[in-house]
Amino acid sequence: MKIDILIKDASQVATCAGCDRPRRGKEMSYDIIMEDGWVAISADRIMGIGKGSVPREIKTDDHTLVIDAMGKTVLPGLVDSHTHLVHGGSREMELALKLEGVPYLEILERGGGILSTVKSTREASESQLMEKARRSLDIMLAHGTTTIEAKSGYGLNLEDELKCLRAARKLDGQHPVDIVSTFMGAHAVPPEYDGKKEQYIDFLIQEVMPCVKRMDLAEFCDVFCEKGVFSVEDSRKLLTRAGEMGYKLKIHADEIESLGGAELAGELKAVSAEHLVAVSKKGLKRMKDGKVIATLLPGTSFNLYMSKYARARDMIEAGLAVALATDYNPGSCPTENLQFIISLACLKMNMTPEEVVCAVTINGAHAIGRGKEIGSLEVGKKADIVVMDVPNIDYLPYHFGINHVDKVIKNGRLVVDGQRLVY
Ligand code: NIG
Ligand code: FE
């Protein structure tokens, strides 16, 4: 077989291989790493991987790109399983309020927060939204992210939700980063439905969700289940109907208040419950029973000035599968850099480097329904690979705040070389 790319002599290869479902609890740190390894790529697939020197059967020729990874670490392309990619405008003006101590939910109540982004998003054209999101995708790719989930939820009417979801779908076709879309019309109640939340939910269920599904614009459906936003009852109604329409389920649960979103995720067998800073013990138990992945977003605690971070250790000890993501959005977490999240997860949530690597690769892939294709380095999987200029995975969280990427291979193609985009 023709080898298109051969990566050799890597000091570590984080294979994350050997488990065909999300890794739970202790499994998050077993057999993640292979010392001194190589990876061979043919077309868009991994066709060989091993330890030590490259065996003779792996035949290279003049056209093979040989990457010498001596002193470097090879990982699966990072999976950012929770982002709000497509939106208009930015919210740096909220920084002063935040520094004065005005809480996040109060900014939203005052008509700022998510609602100010809704205004900018409605005002932007589809192509303006695409250009902004494209720049973010470039930053993500340059930092080693090769697949993301992208939620809608800043349009909050039929026309603008469709505009955002179309933008994501077009970008998925145009940009090397793969995008899995989530419909999140229940992100906030828009101003035209102020005081009429029930009617807004019915509008989503009767008009928007069937239309998004018909147009095949989103695979998942998500709800912001939070005090003052959507209650557990609202979320149950919306997600139950979403499930019947064929959406897979996600839920923004127990981010700020312990409302019972995690319990609901377990009850509905959602694929993931996300945030979980204020989750209860019972919530964790229900998630375990329902095999719900815990998607943690420490960048949001950091940026919202919260002293509390999600209790990752309790979750791992309870045997849950944990994924980590940026939550990239203009309000609670304006960063595309998953490497920074890796550092926060270690330093603020006591996760080990192995657990963190597992959480941004194979578990992230399962959290967006792509665990069979990506998220680990094994023969037959897609060749989505990052070469980091670090001697081992411990170095990644340790040397924080900078970009360690040397090369990114997406679908078997070199797309980042020496931190420069070359696609
Ligand atoms: O995941 N929590 C709700 N939604 C986003 C924040 C969106 C915003 O502030 O614009 C989040 O944190
Ligand atoms: Fe979010």
Side-chain angles (χ1 to χ4, degrees):
M1 192 180 291
K2 211 172 89 201
I3 303 297
D4 296 307
I5 303 180
L6 176 66
I7 306 170
K8 62 180 185 72
D9 295 324
S11 77
Q12 285 192 340
V13 180
T15 64
C16 305
C19 184
D20 61 4
R21 52 165 178 74
R23 284 172 175 256
R24 304 186 187 115
K26 290 196 177 77
E27 295 168 352
M28 289 183 68
S29 38
Y30 288 164
D31 292 335
I32 295 283
I33 303 299
M34 175 169 71
E35 304 288 334
D36 179 25
W38 57 271
V39 186
I41 297 161
S42 185
D44 65 342
R45 297 283 140 177
I46 296 171
M47 64 80 57
I49 177 163
K51 207 172 154 46
S53 46
V54 182
R56 287 224 191 103
E57 312 83 86
I58 302 293
K59 289 200 173 58
T60 56
D61 60 23
D62 287 351
H63 95 275
T64 309
L65 170 66
V66 178
I67 297 174
D68 178 357
M70 184 141 351
K72 296 179 179 159
T73 297
V74 177
L75 299 103
L78 307 184
V79 180
D80 193 345
S81 55
H82 179 144
T83 86
H84 302 255
L85 175 74
V86 179
H87 58 262
S90 59
R91 307 230 293 273
E92 63 279 19
M93 59 293 204
E94 284 174 15
L95 185 64
L97 288 175
K98 208 165 69 176
L99 297 180
E100 282 165 25
V102 184
Y104 176 74
L105 290 178
E106 194 180 318
I107 298 177
L108 177 60
E109 264 165 43
R110 292 186 194 177
I114 296 175
L115 294 176
S116 90
T117 302
V118 169
K119 188 165 179 291
S120 329
T121 304
R122 286 178 174 181
E123 281 163 9
S125 68
E126 189 172 315
S127 61
Q128 285 168 331
L129 292 173
M130 281 178 70
E131 283 328 297
K132 178 170 163 61
R134 195 190 306 277
R135 284 197 293 278
S136 285
L137 289 172
D138 280 346
I139 297 171
M140 289 170 176
L141 189 62
H143 286 81
T145 300
T146 49
T147 302
I148 68 163
E149 181 249 20
K151 301 174 196 293
S152 70
Y154 291 112
L156 309 188
N157 60 33
L158 181 62
E159 184 194 338
D160 292 301
E161 283 294 299
L162 292 180
K163 176 175 75 179
C164 294
L165 289 166
R166 270 196 314 268
R169 181 161 73 188
K170 287 183 189 162
L171 285 166
D172 178 42
Q174 295 173 6
H175 195 277
V177 171
D178 283 324
I179 302 175
V180 174
S181 283
T182 294
F183 172 70
M184 199 177 175
H187 194 196
V189 177
E192 60 277 18
Y193 279 92
D194 197 17
K196 295 184 287 187
K197 188 179 64 176
E198 309 305 322
Q199 276 152 272
Y200 180 60
I201 295 171
D202 288 341
F203 162 69
L204 292 178
I205 291 175
Q206 285 157 20
E207 296 184 38
V208 191
M209 282 155 56
C211 182
V212 168
K213 200 72 227 165
R214 246 189 339 268
M215 297 170 87
D216 199 20
L217 282 171
E219 220 172 297
F220 286 85
C221 183
D222 195 344
V223 181
F224 188 16
C225 180
E226 186 62 58
K227 189 172 161 204
V229 194
F230 295 97
S231 68
V232 172
E233 273 318 306
D234 298 335
S235 305
R236 179 182 286 109
K237 178 173 173 187
L238 197 122
L239 290 177
T240 303
R241 289 295 292 118
E244 289 161 4
M245 288 181 215
Y247 289 95
K248 291 184 261 182
L249 310 181
K250 289 183 172 285
I251 176 164
H252 278 58
D254 304 318
E255 174 179 354
I256 298 161
E257 300 277 339
S258 184
L259 220 61
E263 287 86 332
L264 181 64
E267 174 191 321
L268 299 178
K269 302 211 167 10
V271 175
S272 58
E274 335 222 322
H275 286 289
L276 302 170
V277 176
V279 70
S280 69
K281 266 206 169 127
K282 189 166 132 221
L284 294 184
K285 167 91 179 51
R286 291 285 146 77
M287 283 178 61
K288 172 101 192 290
D289 296 343
K291 297 200 167 79
V292 181
I293 297 174
T295 299
L296 307 185
L297 310 156
T300 303
S301 291
F302 174 78
N303 182 64
L304 288 184
Y305 246 32
M306 289 161 73
S307 50
K308 271 171 69 182
Y309 283 74
R311 304 187 314 277
R313 287 260 57 87
D314 288 355
M315 298 178 195
I316 293 170
E317 269 142 40
L320 286 175
V322 170
L324 282 166
T326 57
D327 195 17
Y328 168 63
N329 72 69
S332 67
C333 196
T335 184
E336 295 91 343
N337 181 357
L338 202 44
Q339 292 176 57
F340 181 57
I341 305 305
I342 286 178
S343 294
L344 285 178
C346 284
L347 300 173
K348 297 286 189 182
M349 303 197 303
N350 286 18
M351 288 176 72
T352 66
E354 283 83 1
E355 288 165 349
V356 159
V357 165
C358 173
V360 294
T361 57
I362 189 67
N363 281 5
H366 282 289
I368 56 172
R370 295 294 183 276
K372 297 226 179 312
E373 273 284 287
I374 57 168
S376 60
L377 303 178
E378 25 198 337
V379 173
K381 274 208 165 174
K382 235 197 213 186
D384 287 5
I385 300 175
V386 188
V387 181
M388 298 274 193
D389 193 3
V390 298
N392 50 60
I393 59 161
D394 294 12
Y395 198 94
L396 268 180
Y398 155 75
H399 190 169
F400 70 91
I402 64 150
N403 185 5
H404 292 290
V405 164
D406 174 36
K407 290 183 170 54
V408 180
I409 294 157
K410 175 67 191 173
N411 272 332
R413 224 159 43 101
L414 185 69
V415 289
V416 176
D417 191 7
Q419 297 210 344
R420 285 195 22 254
L421 297 169
V422 294
Y423 73 83

